[in-house]
Amino acid sequence: MPRTWREGFDFYMVEFEDGPASIMVDMAAALHVPVPSHPDLLIVRMRMQRPQESGLRSAEEAQRLFGVEDAVIAALRLRDGLFVGRVVRAGSSDLFFYLPSGVTRESVEPQLRVACQEYPPSLSLASDPEWTSYFEILFPDRRDQQRMVNRRLCERLQEQGDRPGLRRPVDHRALFPGEISAGAAVESLRAEGFQVDDPSPPPPQSGHQMWALEFHRPESPTQERMDEVTLQVLDLLEGTGAHYDGWNCAAVAGSA
């Protein structure tokens, strides 16, 4: 069957005890899986020839690997494979595909060996009808999702000519299941130097009962700084039932 959603790939970094990992995942798939017609997970592993000391890709090898991966993806799409992500770590690139019932390792191996060329693949095929590996290995947790959002927002600011080293007001918003939980967060946020507005009730006929809380603090919105700030906010809101709705600020040009 054809994919029923529009792909939405993004990436994030994870630090393991044995080194970093770069994970790319089709975030859009999360709302559509599991796919009953594709119960089997195929992982195609390729060992890098010249990885960095960290185990990630070197600049000299990256473009070649991208081309090989494109060939692997194209080959498995001919077998109706759904490509959902990639993990790069410890000198290996692992590509994750979900395959239709009946597609065997032996039936795809010859085409993949041709596609991988100088990177002989190691193939692992296992039943995963609930797409557990997609969620447990590829899909980011709440904190990594926030880092991904921060990266995109900072990139958008830079596209507008922003100088991230310049401090300016940064606005935040969170949604709470009621007035009491919103009010309980006010003091903890103020204690961290945020200016906090009064909680706002849900608009009439909005169809939800979430109270909004807006809070503000001057920042220099580099990605490193906004990662630090937003993860602090997530920690402050933990246990309140709140949903952190993100941050925004104006782009500012000029000298840092």
Side-chain angles (χ1 to χ4, degrees):
M1 62 171 285
R3 190 186 300 266
T4 58
W5 64 91
R6 183 176 180 180
E7 294 175 339
F9 282 97
D10 206 336
F11 73 93
Y12 62 103
M13 301 295 297
V14 177
E15 192 69 36
F16 293 105
E17 289 186 1
D18 61 347
S22 173
I23 300 179
M24 182 178 73
V25 56
D26 182 2
M27 296 291 291
L31 298 177
H32 302 271
V33 304
V35 179
S37 62
H38 288 63
D40 297 330
L41 172 67
L42 175 69
I43 300 177
V44 181
R45 169 168 292 182
M46 295 177 290
R47 293 291 299 174
M48 296 177 234
Q49 297 175 356
R50 296 178 294 279
Q52 298 182 46
E53 186 176 347
S54 64
L56 298 179
R57 295 176 171 181
S58 63
E60 61 180 323
E61 193 172 16
Q63 289 304 315
R64 179 58 182 151
L65 283 167
F66 289 145
V68 170
E69 288 175 0
D70 287 345
V72 172
I73 294 168
L76 285 170
R77 280 181 174 157
L78 294 176
R79 305 302 299 269
D80 200 18
L82 299 177
F83 175 57
V84 293
R86 180 191 69 209
V87 176
V88 177
R89 64 173 299 202
S92 291
S93 290
D94 293 355
L95 306 183
F96 287 68
F97 298 84
Y98 280 90
L99 302 180
S101 299
V103 178
T104 66
R105 182 177 180 273
E106 291 74 20
S107 68
V108 298
E109 187 169 12
Q111 296 95 324
L112 294 182
R113 291 200 174 278
V114 171
C116 289
Q117 300 181 46
E118 71 268 35
Y119 296 95
S122 172
L123 307 183
S124 172
L125 181 65
S127 176
D128 186 13
E130 298 302 318
W131 286 45
T132 302
S133 292
Y134 168 81
F135 288 107
E136 292 187 353
I137 298 175
L138 296 173
F139 199 76
D141 63 20
R142 182 68 187 90
R143 296 169 75 85
D144 285 321
Q145 289 181 52
Q146 186 59 53
R147 291 186 181 97
M148 293 163 75
V149 171
N150 294 341
R151 187 191 73 247
R152 291 195 297 268
L153 289 173
C154 289
E155 288 173 350
R156 191 178 307 160
L157 286 170
Q158 291 181 30
E159 289 169 359
Q160 298 170 6
D162 186 60
R163 296 293 298 272
L166 297 178
R167 285 172 63 84
R168 86 290 304 264
V170 173
D171 303 320
H172 303 259
R173 187 171 184 262
L175 300 174
F176 294 80
E179 183 178 12
I180 294 176
S181 59
V186 170
E187 290 307 316
S188 60
L189 289 167
R190 284 177 176 162
E192 296 299 331
F194 289 99
Q195 175 188 341
V196 186
D197 299 347
D198 292 333
S200 301
Q205 302 177 340
S206 64
H208 67 79
Q209 300 299 316
M210 301 295 282
W211 282 64
L213 188 66
E214 297 187 355
F215 46 103
H216 326 271
R217 194 171 69 183
E219 305 288 355
S220 299
T222 63
Q223 184 179 344
E224 181 179 5
R225 176 56 182 163
M226 294 315 299
D227 284 349
E228 180 181 347
V229 169
T230 55
L231 297 185
Q232 176 192 38
V233 169
L234 291 180
D235 289 339
L236 289 172
L237 299 181
E238 188 173 1
T240 66
H243 167 71
Y244 177 56
D245 203 33
W247 61 273
N248 67 81
C249 66
V252 178
S255 300

